[in-house]
Structures are given as C-alpha cells and as structure tokens.
Amino acid sequence: MSLPLVRLLQLSTPALPVGAYTYSQGLEWAIDCGRVSTEADTGEWIADVMRESIASFELPLAGALMQAWQAGNDVEIARLNDDFLASRETRELRAETVQMGYSLTRLLLELDTFSALDGWPERLRAVDTPSFPLAWTAAATAWQIPARDALPAYLWAWLENQVMAAIKAVPLGQSAGQRLLSRLGAEIPALAQRAATLPEDDWTNFNPGLAIASCKHETQYSRLFRS
C-alpha cells in the first residue's frame, strides 16, 4: 500500500476531527417536515443533492483547488475559496464550511506530516477564512494524493456523512444505510470523472430545495444537527 493512499484514508475517515458528524446540510429539516421518512425518500434526497450540488460545484472546485495548490498559484486559491464561501446560500451552510475549514487547518498545522513540509504551513496560514474544501485539498496536494483518487474520496466522505445523519434522524437501520451507500456510491466514479474536467462556466449548485431546507433548519424548534 502506498503512503498517499494511507493519507487519503486519513482524510476521508469519519474519525477526522472536524465536526462533520454534527451537520446534516438541511436533511434534518426534510425529515422533520415529512419530506424524507423512508429509505427510498432518503436515497432520493441525498442523490439529488449529490448530483445537483456537490458533484456539480463543490467537487470541480476542489479539483481546481488541487491544481492551484500544485501550481503554486495562491491568488487563484484565494479566489476559489472566496467563490465557495460566497456560494453558501444560508448562514448555517457558511458557518459549517468555515468551522470545518478552521478545524482541519488547525489539525494540519499540528501534524508533523504536514507542518514539516517546506512552504505548506505558510501557504495555508496565508488564506483568509479557509473553507473546508480549501484545507482538505491543501492536505491532499501536499501529501501527493492524485486528484483521480482524491475527488472520489471527497465525494464518498460527504455521502457517508449524509447517510450517517439519516441513520440517526429518520431513523434508518444500519443495513439500510449500507444499501444506500452501496447504491449511491456506485455513482461516484462517473461523477468524479466528470467533475475533474468540467469547465468552470458549467459549475452549478442551483438547488432551491436544499437552500430552503437549510433556511428552515435555522429556525427549527428541535434539532440534532447544526445545519
């Protein structure tokens, strides 16, 4: 097993201490209002968000960030980070990526495997308000993880977190969760391949249902999750 693969597993594990498990990205409101109540509903909701938002905007942006980190283009890195922060349509979604970006940045600067790499700590510290994809791609690039492996893993980590949230909140059984991961995970290779070559003019996170769910969640009376 190669070291970059080990580092990729470290980045994509639910044990990564960035607080991802505390967020549902609007899914909790969809459950609370009855839109999502079964395994089939859950799969439909998560699949729509994955295809129409994460894989069509966040994932190609992550790929572009990796290219910019590799090329040493810190101006482009800052632009992409600002664009991602501006794309967050609600207070909760912006707070989520800022908190996770801060936590991952802090962790990376404490790890010898990152902080000892020449120039990388300084480049990461120089970014104002690092988002989660910015910090994640900094680690992936510094640890020499190929984008062809990093992008599917990034999407898988997002999918796994959504399914784990659904298991808690719908609630679903563990077997149902594994069925969802098996079925939806099968889409990841094609989505990641498309994201790697998608022109920036075609990036889109137009998903009104997700934005409404996130807005509604901000004033939801009883909540397990922070988004």
Side-chain angles (χ1 to χ4, degrees), residues 164-185:
M164 289 171 63
I167 288 173
K168 297 173 187 176
V170 172
L172 297 176
Q174 295 291 334
S175 294
Q178 289 300 312
R179 286 193 294 270
L180 288 170
L181 286 172
S182 180
R183 178 165 59 83
L184 298 178

Side-chain angles (χ1 to χ4, degrees), residues 94-176:
R94 188 183 191 281
E96 174 183 336
T97 197
V98 169
Q99 180 271 304
M100 290 175 61
Y102 169 83
S103 296
L104 183 53
T105 296
R106 182 174 178 179
L107 173 66
L108 292 172
L109 295 176
E110 292 174 352
L111 294 177
D112 290 343
T113 52
F114 182 89
S115 62
L117 296 174
D118 186 35
W120 282 97
E122 293 76 18
R123 293 180 71 191
L124 188 53
R125 286 193 189 98
V127 179
D128 182 39
T129 317
S131 64
F132 179 68
L134 178 132
W136 198 96
T137 56
T141 310
W143 287 338
Q144 300 181 12
I145 299 169
R148 66 176 181 273
D149 298 327
L151 295 186
Y154 186 95
L155 190 53
W156 170 264
W158 175 87
L159 173 61
E160 187 173 27
N161 191 69
Q162 285 284 286
V163 170
M164 289 171 63
I167 288 173
K168 297 173 187 176
V170 172
L172 297 176
Q174 295 291 334
S175 294

